[in-house]
């Protein structure tokens, strides 16, 4: 009898631990939109760009909890620091544009480690069809394991900030939730928000949301719901919706909006600088 009780207890603990560790095991609305042809057409093909790092950025690998390896573009701070900024890719993958943006944050923010994480395990899309396939087909559990591996790589004393665009905007918010008490700042550009108020309650940071007011998918109604849910969760939220289209802040986007991008960039930098010090 004692053996049976012990076995049942261990099974219960395992199931509970699994539930606690896996916050995002189903595909979110952004992944489900990936096959929508109108959503695909809303993404202009990126202009060619090849990034050469001037700050010593390099590709690295780190271990993930599922026994695999993940990739990232890493720029180490000049002086030892506990601050690490996670940079999350658009639906295209970890391309040279994202590496450029990661380096831009690095040179602007000063002494901070920057980790641009490859969420597609080496795949980079150059067509809308491939981007939709990679984003829609990504295993949520694998995505979570990559983020958890990045948190472990940053270290137990790391204070983690996150930023991302499009699919990466959604991942930025999820990563800040997964980082728990290590989370110190979160910026999301036009990504689908987490809707579950109970998950939002796990945030240890406020959020700066930068959205595209003209887009139909992550619409003003979706943004308003996010703002309301954050308030219900008792979390700080600052929202700015620009008079621009989705992906307005991507310099390789033919519809790049320079004015909106500069305003959003300044908001993000000011937000980070008040929290990464």
């Amino acid at each position: 009898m004692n053996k049976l009780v012990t076995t049942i207890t261990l099974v219960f603990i395992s199931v509970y631990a699994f539930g606690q560790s896996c916050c995002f095991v189903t595909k979110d609305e952004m992944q489900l939109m990936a096959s929508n042809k109108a959503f695909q057409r809303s993404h202009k093909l990126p202009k060619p760009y090849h990034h050469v790092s001037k700050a010593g950025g390099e590709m690295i690998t780190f271990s993930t909890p599922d026994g695999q390896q993940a990739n990232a573009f890493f720029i180490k701070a000049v002086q030892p620091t506990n601050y690490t900024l996670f940079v999350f890719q658009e639906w295209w993958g970890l391309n040279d544009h994202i590496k450029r943006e990661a380096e831009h944050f690095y040179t602007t923010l000063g002494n901070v480690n920057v980790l641009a994480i490859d969420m597609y395990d080496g795949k980079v899309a150059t067509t809308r069809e491939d981007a939709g396939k990679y984003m829609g087909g990504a295993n949520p559990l694998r995505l979570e394991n990559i983020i958890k591996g990045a948190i472990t790589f940053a270290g137990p004393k790391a204070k983690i900030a996150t930023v991302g665009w499009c699919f990466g905007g959604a991942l930025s918010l999820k990563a800040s939730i997964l980082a728990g008490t290590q989370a110190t700042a979160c910026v999301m550009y036009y990504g689908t928000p987490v809707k579950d108020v109970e998950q939002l309650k796990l945030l240890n940071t406020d959020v700066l949301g930068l959205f595209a007011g003209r887009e139909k998918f992550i619409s003003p109604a979706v943004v308003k719901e996010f703002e309301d849910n954050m308030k219900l969760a008792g979390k700080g939220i600052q929202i700015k919706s620009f008079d621009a289209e989705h992906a307005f802040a991507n310099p390789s986007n033919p519809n790049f909006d320079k004015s909106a991008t500069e305003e959003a960039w300044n908001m993000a930098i000011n937000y980070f600088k008040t929290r990464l010090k």
Side-chain angles (χ1 to χ4, degrees), residues 158-181:
K159 296 180 179 180
I160 296 170
T162 66
V163 64
W165 305 262
C166 183
F167 186 39
L171 292 171
S172 174
L173 180 59
K174 291 179 179 180
S176 281
I177 292 173
L178 289 170
T181 57

Side-chain angles (χ1 to χ4, degrees), residues 107-123:
T107 56
T108 305
L109 290 175
N111 203 57
V112 59
N113 301 303
V114 175
L115 191 72
I117 307 168
D118 174 9
M119 302 302 293
Y120 289 166
D121 288 315
K123 298 188 291 291

Side-chain angles (χ1 to χ4, degrees), residues 239-260:
I239 296 288
K240 172 71 176 183
S241 289
F242 295 86
D243 184 21
E245 299 288 351
H246 185 82
F248 68 81
N250 184 344
S252 69
N253 179 358
N255 287 342
F256 170 66
D257 189 316
K258 187 174 185 293
S259 177

Side-chain angles (χ1 to χ4, degrees), residues 182-197:
Q182 290 183 256
T184 191
C186 175
V187 174
M188 57 184 302
Y189 280 78
Y190 36 79
T192 301
V194 171
K195 290 189 172 183
D196 189 334
V197 174

Side-chain angles (χ1 to χ4, degrees), residues 2 23 64 101 158 176 187 258:
N2 288 340
C23 296
T64 55
E101 292 301 295
S176 281
V187 174
K258 187 174 185 293

